[in-house]
Amino acid sequence: MISKALTIAGSDSGGGAGIQADLKTFQELAVYGMSALTAVTAQNTLGVQGVFPLSLQAITQQLDSIGLDLKPDAVKTGMLFNSDIIRVVAEKVQQYGWRNLVVDPVMVAKGGSTLLQQEAVQSLIKHLLPLALVTTPNIPEAEMITNMSITTIDDRKEAATIIHAMGSSYVVLKGGHDTATKAVVDLLYDGHEFIFMESERIQTRHTHGTGCTYSAAVTAELAKGKSVPEAINIAKAFIQAAIEDELGIGVGHGPTNHFAYQNRLRGMNLEANRQ
């Protein structure tokens, strides 16, 4: 039977992040994808032009429709926008006993637009992180969650320890925003051991949706029964390929290439497929 994964997040009309990026990633990793929209955004590679949160009734009914019929093997959250939506999502995760919850604490878009209201950060900490198997903040998100400045490796360890103590079984603190380093260094913490994972830093503006895509890949692999470290290793390879083999579309921060990982496995060359 095919594995199923659910994403609870916002829609990105440009297709590079949010629900669209999550479902593309699920499909590429051979997992049946389902979605519950929390908000509709009008955005492209130049920025976010509008944010329209859905009603709590609309979100609740989507989650109930899935919970009553299509039990997901793993669930991820993305843009949740406000504290009321976070509470509803947390209640439904508990009501339906959904396991393998990956929390991507989406807070700010690439262009700087706010995707999670400030008042909702405490709700995220109180209601959602205690349910999380894996939480995947970048450095600015980890700073907002922990209310501390993160500039050194020791700071990253301290922040990961704090987020783990908030209830998340595993924390992946992503290092892409630390442009002072030649390599991208992510930190995985399971409550016992700090594991550093390095990858080459690619100089490109086409990184829109990297966090969504990475956490969706983790979710897809968990849905298939992989362990957390296995899922993270595959997700890191997936997002690295998606950044390296850029699509080059849009005049701003373009999307990553969701075809890249599987194309590489199949030995396909993107350039050979261009018109």
Side-chain angles (χ1 to χ4, degrees):
M1 183 176 295
I2 192 166
S3 301
K4 303 186 294 296
L6 167 65
T7 171
I8 307 169
S11 165
D12 171 2
S13 57
I19 291 283
Q20 289 83 353
D22 294 344
L23 291 177
K24 291 173 189 176
T25 303
F26 292 165
Q27 184 80 12
E28 288 295 310
L29 292 174
V31 169
Y32 182 82
M34 302 171 288
S35 64
L37 283 174
T38 57
V40 174
T41 71
Q43 61 177 298
N44 52 29
T45 66
L46 297 174
V48 179
Q49 292 81 45
V51 177
F52 309 93
L54 270 65
S55 70
L56 293 181
Q57 180 184 14
I59 296 167
T60 299
Q61 288 195 359
Q62 290 176 81
L63 295 172
D64 283 337
S65 293
I66 294 165
L68 293 171
D69 185 36
L70 296 161
K71 182 180 180 181
D73 299 296
V75 179
K76 68 151 289 191
T77 64
M79 176 189 177
L80 299 178
F81 191 66
N82 63 37
S83 57
D84 289 337
I85 294 175
I86 289 172
R87 281 195 292 271
V88 165
V89 170
E91 288 171 5
K92 293 302 176 183
V93 168
Q94 294 177 91
Q95 176 182 338
Y96 292 110
W98 290 337
R99 301 179 298 107
N100 296 328
L101 176 65
V102 177
V103 175
D104 179 16
V106 176
M107 296 179 177
V108 180
K110 189 73 67 181
S113 298
T114 300
L115 300 179
L116 183 71
Q117 296 179 347
Q118 183 63 38
E119 54 85 20
V121 175
Q122 289 305 312
S123 184
L124 181 87
I125 294 169
K126 179 179 180 181
H127 298 291
L128 209 54
L129 292 190
L131 305 177
L133 175 63
V134 186
T135 303
T136 63
N138 57 35
I139 290 175
E141 291 163 350
E143 288 180 328
M144 291 182 69
I145 293 171
T146 61
N147 195 30
M148 63 176 284
S149 175
I150 300 173
T151 58
T152 68
I153 292 297
D154 284 341
D155 291 340
R156 295 190 200 187
K157 289 181 175 179
E158 181 179 354
T161 302
I162 292 171
I163 295 171
H164 179 270
M166 291 172 176
S168 181
S169 299
Y170 292 81
V171 179
V172 183
L173 207 168
K174 298 171 294 186
H177 283 71
D178 182 5
T179 55
T181 59
K182 291 184 178 179
V184 174
V185 182
D186 296 342
L187 170 62
L188 169 64
Y189 182 58
D190 62 359
H192 303 284
E193 185 180 11
F194 297 101
I195 299 173
F196 291 95
M197 300 168 289
E198 286 193 14
S199 57
E200 181 183 0
R201 183 180 297 279
I202 307 301
Q203 299 302 323
T204 175
R205 59 183 169 83
H206 299 290
T207 57
H208 177 56
T210 51
C212 302
T213 300
Y214 175 81
S215 57
V218 173
T219 306
E221 294 303 315
L222 290 174
K224 292 189 286 189
K226 295 288 198 306
S227 69
V228 171
E230 290 172 333
I232 289 170
N233 282 331
I234 293 172
K236 194 155 178 69
F238 189 98
I239 192 60
Q240 187 70 18
I243 295 172
E244 289 179 354
D245 296 357
E246 67 178 41
L247 294 170
I249 61 175
V251 297
H253 294 291
T256 64
N257 180 359
H258 294 90
F259 305 109
Y261 180 76
Q262 289 296 347
N263 280 349
R264 290 184 178 191
L265 293 181
R266 292 190 290 261
M268 295 175 62
N269 185 320
L270 177 65
E271 291 301 323
N273 294 326
R274 290 189 187 279
Q275 298 296 315

